[in-house]
Amino acid sequence: MKAAMRILLTFFLVLPAIAHASDLRGTGSLGLVIERAAGSVLIVDFMARRTVGRVQGLGDLSHASAVFSPDQRYAYVFGRDGGLTKVDLLTASIARRVVQAGNAIGGAISDDGTLIAVSNYEPGGVRVFAADTLEPVGTIPAIGADGKSSKTVGLVDLPGRRFAFALYDAGEIWVADLSAPEALTVEKLTGVGKLPYDGNVTPNGRHYLAGLFGEDGVVHVDTWQAPLQARRILDRYGRGEEALPVYKMPHLEGWAAVGDRLLLPAVGRHELIAVDMRSFAEAGRVATHGQPVFAVARPDGRQVWVNFAHPKNDTIDVIDVQSMKLIHRFAPGPAVLHLEFTPRGNEVWISVRDANRIDIYDTATFTKKAEIAAEKPSGIFFTARSTRIGQ
Amino acid sequence: MKAAMRILLTFFLVLPAIAHASDLRGTGSLGLVIERAAGSVLIVDFMARRTVGRVQGLGDLSHASAVFSPDQRYAYVFGRDGGLTKVDLLTASIARRVVQAGNAIGGAISDDGTLIAVSNYEPGGVRVFAADTLEPVGTIPAIGADGKSSKTVGLVDLPGRRFAFALYDAGEIWVADLSAPEALTVEKLTGVGKLPYDGNVTPNGRHYLAGLFGEDGVVHVDTWQAPLQARRILDRYGRGEEALPVYKMPHLEGWAAVGDRLLLPAVGRHELIAVDMRSFAEAGRVATHGQPVFAVARPDGRQVWVNFAHPKNDTIDVIDVQSMKLIHRFAPGPAVLHLEFTPRGNEVWISVRDANRIDIYDTATFTKKAEIAAEKPSGIFFTARSTRIGQ
């Protein structure tokens, strides 16, 4: 095991900048690790538990995220500086790159893999690009009912070449239908609540939820209903009776869908909140080590792994979903920023930023299987995301 | 559209026997089509909607199925004659092949991608192979409580390097733990019912269900409980008050998990049966065109597509899950044997055996997008299956 780690580290030091084209390789076990400070990404292989390439020159990657083409050859990386970079995972190179806005916050790929949508802070709105060329296809200006342009957040794909997102400033949720991009239609829900700061959709693409920054609660939209309706749920979602200082707003892309429940990180509290997916009422709480940032379900939904905001961000809690009890707590190292399960959940990759390391754990035994060197790693994204609605 | 079809057909006629190694290609949109009569498989690409290769010499492929390596480079094809063939999707060639039994019925790959298990009729039991070399790793003789060797059916992977399967002759369900293959352990449930003929596990890998051929009902095992317990559900599963002749036993691998319900093909009746996944009690029925064979959920769970036994096997019914009503019925052509959705469900591939064709439909508009020529096609399997528990 130690020998294996030495081999991995040695490999990393002699890492070729570009993979050879003659290396035939399946892409199902590939992934990307964001190296935020360096503006680079590692290309990794979860089967081999090693790095296979590094791509540089992606700009400001703070809060960066990635989606994948259906063939899993390409990653689309959304940078904070408005950069949209198409990375070829097989040649470890940049296939295309555009700087499409001044300040952006993530994006999505349409269910047919042909459109990339990006959520922008500056100038606001959503821009849409052809996935193959990154040529612009359309713009959705986010002018709210207040007549002003709004930042957009929580952008996700929905079935039928649609996208859902929230307007931060205006307090709205929009669903855009791009089945005919030249004649796109938008269904708008206005006045849904103050300052929706993030949103996500359940794994089946049906229920869109947005967390509110300006109020204590969550907005729920059942996208199978026509016309759409926004409904407030979890009215004491976070703050509760005794508000704690909020160190970091939790990520809604880090919620855990397990069976017929969702486990959401509470805002500012040391808790996860369970939500019943039939009624969308609260169905219990679980105490955690700190303020949760990501609560991620193992793919079988039997465990939820949780990381935390500073100053408790060296630790992971593992919750057993059946009993809703903590079954394992451990400290991988300083600044645990993100975690990603292998597609069938046998292992999990954890970025330990301030140790410059990715740690790989067996999820059945909780033993460490390997370490991979990385420069201040943050987000980890495996290509299996391409198979998921709301990837 | 017609032009596109002509191009596809032309391409098929000049299909190279072997793809060039220099063709860099992501494997996320690849798949296999079983050409049963010819003993060959087509390698297809759902993004390009075309065939990219053909591999011959796989033996008797009646009732053949396939699973994929986690890197999605290799398919493991289980033939009826006991053949286990490892197909390299990138070079369109046979990487390894063993004839491991006299008569077999499908298999599974462990969650870590290292073990292939095959369910055998003759000599019975389950044999386990190393996924990389196809060297034998172990055998699980299926000697039931009656002391006799049994055929095995309904073999699926479970999290934690485990497999579940049913003993057809003995009427038992076993869960084998191969986390240490040299010291494998088996938990056995005896006397679960007469002649379990097929089994499957819910998408989260938790609930194993086996259909009974010798009795009217289904056996349910919650694999999260310890010790395991078998429970009878749906006691008038199929036959009901007025038994109809059964043209073909439905496939349990063809059930549809939608939200908190399962839709199962009824045995011998023109119906799907809905099962509540909290209580495992019946939650309604939907009338269908004929005796259902496969009932497959679109990945978002909003629709279920159903094909039928002879003589109604030219037709597909599409059921809307929210209303539990038929929303579309159409006849793709003679002998519709199987269907497979793209991973996010925007399109569906349908094998129309007696027209020597695969048809590709848009699932939002029900329009036909393309046709692909194939010799008597049966099963269609996309590599995205590698990301699923119980693939």
Side-chain angles (χ1 to χ4, degrees):
Chain A
M1 164 72 179
K2 276 208 173 146
M5 276 159 44
R6 263 199 303 276
I7 291 168
L8 282 173
L9 291 169
T10 308
F11 178 85
F12 183 76
L13 293 172
V14 298
L15 192 70
I18 297 191
H20 292 291
S22 59
D23 283 346
L24 277 191
R25 173 190 288 291
T27 50
S29 55
L30 296 183
L32 269 192
V33 175
I34 305 289
E35 295 184 313
R36 175 151 80 169
S40 55
V41 294
L42 293 182
I43 299 169
V44 295
D45 181 337
F46 71 71
M47 273 293 275
R49 300 193 195 101
R50 67 181 182 87
T51 298
V52 297
R54 171 183 272 146
V55 183
Q56 291 172 315
L58 278 79
D60 178 358
L61 293 183
S62 48
H63 220 291
S65 60
V67 298
F68 296 92
S69 61
D71 67 359
Q72 302 184 345
R73 175 166 180 175
Y74 299 103
Y76 299 90
V77 181
F78 305 101
R80 190 51 179 271
D81 56 1
L84 165 59
T85 311
K86 181 175 180 179
V87 173
D88 185 338
L89 303 176
L90 286 176
T91 60
S93 62
I94 292 178
R96 306 255 172 188
R97 176 171 162 81
V98 294
V99 176
Q100 56 82 40
N103 192 325
I105 189 71
I109 182 166
S110 61
D111 61 352
D112 64 351
T114 61
L115 301 174
I116 305 292
V118 192
S119 194
N120 286 324
Y121 277 8
E122 182 49 50
V126 169
R127 295 194 69 196
V128 183
F129 300 86
D132 49 357
T133 60
L134 299 192
E135 290 296 320
V137 171
T139 296
I140 310 171
I143 311 295
D146 58 3
K148 296 182 198 151
S149 176
S150 190
K151 293 183 186 69
T152 58
V153 297
L155 175 65
V156 297
D157 62 277
L158 298 181
R161 236 190 186 187
R162 293 177 305 150
F163 295 98
F165 52 95
L167 278 61
Y168 177 78
D169 310 287
E172 304 189 6
I173 292 174
W174 291 12
V175 174
D177 183 334
L178 278 81
S179 48
E182 65 288 356
L184 70 89
T185 59
V186 180
E187 190 169 354
K188 301 175 183 180
L189 292 166
T190 57
V192 303
K194 280 189 195 146
L195 305 179
Y197 74 96
D198 196 7
N200 200 358
V201 70
T202 48
N204 64 355
R206 174 169 181 176
H207 298 288
Y208 186 81
L209 298 184
L212 297 175
F213 189 75
E215 295 176 59
D216 199 2
V218 169
V219 187
H220 166 230
V221 179
D222 177 351
T223 68
W224 288 13
Q225 305 302 334
L228 297 177
Q229 260 191 301
R231 191 158 70 102
R232 287 291 290 277
I233 62 169
L234 301 181
D235 259 345
R236 288 197 317 277
Y237 170 43
R239 311 285 160 84
E241 32 330 308
E242 264 186 277
L244 296 172
V246 177
Y247 292 106
K248 181 167 173 52
M249 293 302 281
H251 287 267
L252 282 188
E253 67 264 39
W255 68 19
V258 285
D260 45 22
R261 281 180 296 186
L262 291 173
L263 288 179
L264 301 178
V267 176
R269 302 190 69 78
H270 296 194
E271 281 175 341
L272 300 182
I273 302 179
V275 179
D276 181 294
M277 279 220 266
R278 289 192 190 184
S279 63
F280 282 84
E282 183 178 324
R285 299 195 171 206
V286 191
T288 55
H289 177 66
Q291 293 186 6
V293 176
F294 286 102
V296 188
R298 197 172 73 172
D300 66 349
R302 191 165 185 177
Q303 296 173 355
V304 172
W305 292 50
V306 191
N307 74 337
F308 302 102
H310 182 84
K312 306 260 195 170
N313 63 351
D314 63 342
T315 295
I316 293 267
D317 276 0
V318 181
I319 310 295
D320 172 70
V321 168
Q322 248 191 313
S323 63
M324 290 280 274
K325 297 230 179 305
L326 178 80
I327 52 166
H328 189 56
R329 174 174 289 165
F330 67 110
V336 170
L337 288 202
H338 197 223
L339 60 161
E340 177 93 337
F341 288 90
T342 56
R344 288 195 280 165
N346 62 312
E347 296 182 358
V348 63
W349 287 43
I350 298 174
S351 56
V352 191
R353 185 192 61 197
D354 294 347
N356 292 307
R357 226 174 52 218
I358 302 284
D359 289 353
I360 304 172
Y361 286 86
D362 183 303
T363 66
T365 62
F366 305 127
T367 54
K368 197 194 276 190
K369 308 283 284 189
E371 297 181 352
I372 291 180
E375 270 185 65
K376 302 271 175 210
S378 54
I380 308 170
F381 304 92
F382 291 144
T383 55
R385 287 176 175 246
S386 81
T387 66
R388 296 184 202 137
I389 297 165
Q391 68 165 296
Chain B
M1 166 71 179
K2 277 210 173 144
M5 275 160 44
R6 263 200 304 277
I7 291 167
L8 283 173
L9 291 169
T10 308
F11 178 85
F12 183 77
L13 294 172
V14 298
L15 191 71
I18 297 191
H20 291 290
S22 59
D23 283 347
L24 277 190
R25 174 190 287 291
T27 50
S29 55
L30 297 183
L32 269 193
V33 174
I34 305 289
E35 295 184 313
R36 177 152 79 170
S40 55
V41 295
L42 293 182
I43 299 170
V44 295
D45 181 338
F46 69 72
M47 274 292 275
R49 299 192 196 101
R50 67 181 183 87
T51 298
V52 297
R54 173 183 270 145
V55 184
Q56 290 173 313
L58 279 79
D60 179 357
L61 293 183
S62 49
H63 220 290
S65 60
V67 298
F68 296 93
S69 61
D71 66 0
Q72 302 183 346
R73 175 166 180 176
Y74 299 103
Y76 299 90
V77 181
F78 305 101
R80 190 51 179 270
D81 56 1
L84 165 60
T85 310
K86 182 176 179 178
V87 173
D88 185 337
L89 302 176
L90 286 176
T91 59
S93 62
I94 292 178
R96 307 255 172 187
R97 177 170 160 82
V98 294
V99 177
Q100 55 83 42
N103 192 323
I105 190 71
I109 183 166
S110 60
D111 61 353
D112 64 351
T114 62
L115 301 174
I116 304 292
V118 193
S119 194
N120 286 324
Y121 276 9
E122 182 47 50
V126 169
R127 295 195 68 196
V128 183
F129 300 86
D132 50 358
T133 60
L134 298 192
E135 291 296 320
V137 171
T139 296
I140 310 171
I143 311 295
D146 59 3
K148 295 183 199 152
S149 177
S150 190
K151 294 183 186 68
T152 58
V153 297
L155 175 64
V156 297
D157 62 276
L158 298 181
R161 235 189 188 189
R162 293 177 305 150
F163 295 99
F165 53 95
L167 278 62
Y168 177 78
D169 310 285
E172 305 188 6
I173 292 175
W174 291 12
V175 175
D177 183 334
L178 277 80
S179 47
E182 65 288 355
L184 70 89
T185 59
V186 180
E187 190 168 354
K188 302 175 182 179
L189 292 166
T190 57
V192 303
K194 279 190 198 147
L195 304 179
Y197 74 96
D198 196 8
N200 200 358
V201 70
T202 48
N204 63 354
R206 175 170 181 176
H207 299 287
Y208 186 81
L209 298 185
L212 297 175
F213 189 75
E215 295 176 59
D216 200 1
V218 170
V219 187
H220 166 231
V221 179
D222 177 351
T223 69
W224 288 13
Q225 304 302 334
L228 297 178
Q229 261 191 301
R231 192 158 71 103
R232 287 292 289 276
I233 62 169
L234 300 181
D235 260 345
R236 290 197 316 277
Y237 169 44
R239 312 282 162 84
E241 29 335 305
E242 263 186 279
L244 296 173
V246 178
Y247 292 106
K248 181 167 173 53
M249 293 301 281
H251 287 266
L252 282 188
E253 67 265 38
W255 68 21
V258 286
D260 45 22
R261 281 180 296 185
L262 291 174
L263 288 179
L264 301 178
V267 176
R269 302 189 71 77
H270 296 195
E271 282 174 341
L272 300 182
I273 303 179
V275 179
D276 181 293
M277 279 220 265
R278 289 191 189 183
S279 64
F280 281 85
E282 183 178 326
R285 299 195 172 207
V286 191
T288 55
H289 177 66
Q291 294 187 5
V293 176
F294 286 103
V296 187
R298 198 172 72 171
D300 66 349
R302 192 165 184 176
Q303 296 173 356
V304 172
W305 292 50
V306 191
N307 73 337
F308 302 102
H310 182 83
K312 307 259 194 169
N313 63 352
D314 63 342
T315 296
I316 293 268
D317 275 0
V318 181
I319 310 295
D320 172 70
V321 168
Q322 249 191 311
S323 63
M324 291 280 275
K325 298 229 180 302
L326 178 80
I327 52 167
H328 188 57
R329 174 175 290 164
F330 67 110
V336 170
L337 289 202
H338 197 224
L339 60 162
E340 177 93 336
F341 288 90
T342 56
R344 289 195 280 165
N346 61 312
E347 295 182 359
V348 63
W349 287 44
I350 298 174
S351 56
V352 192
R353 185 192 60 197
D354 294 348
N356 291 308
R357 225 174 53 216
I358 302 285
D359 288 353
I360 304 172
Y361 286 85
D362 183 304
T363 66
T365 61
F366 305 128
T367 55
K368 197 194 277 191
K369 307 283 284 190
E371 296 181 350
I372 291 179
E375 268 185 66
K376 302 273 173 206
S378 55
I380 308 170
F381 305 91
F382 291 143
T383 55
R385 288 177 175 244
S386 80
T387 66
R388 296 183 203 138
I389 297 166
Q391 71 165 290

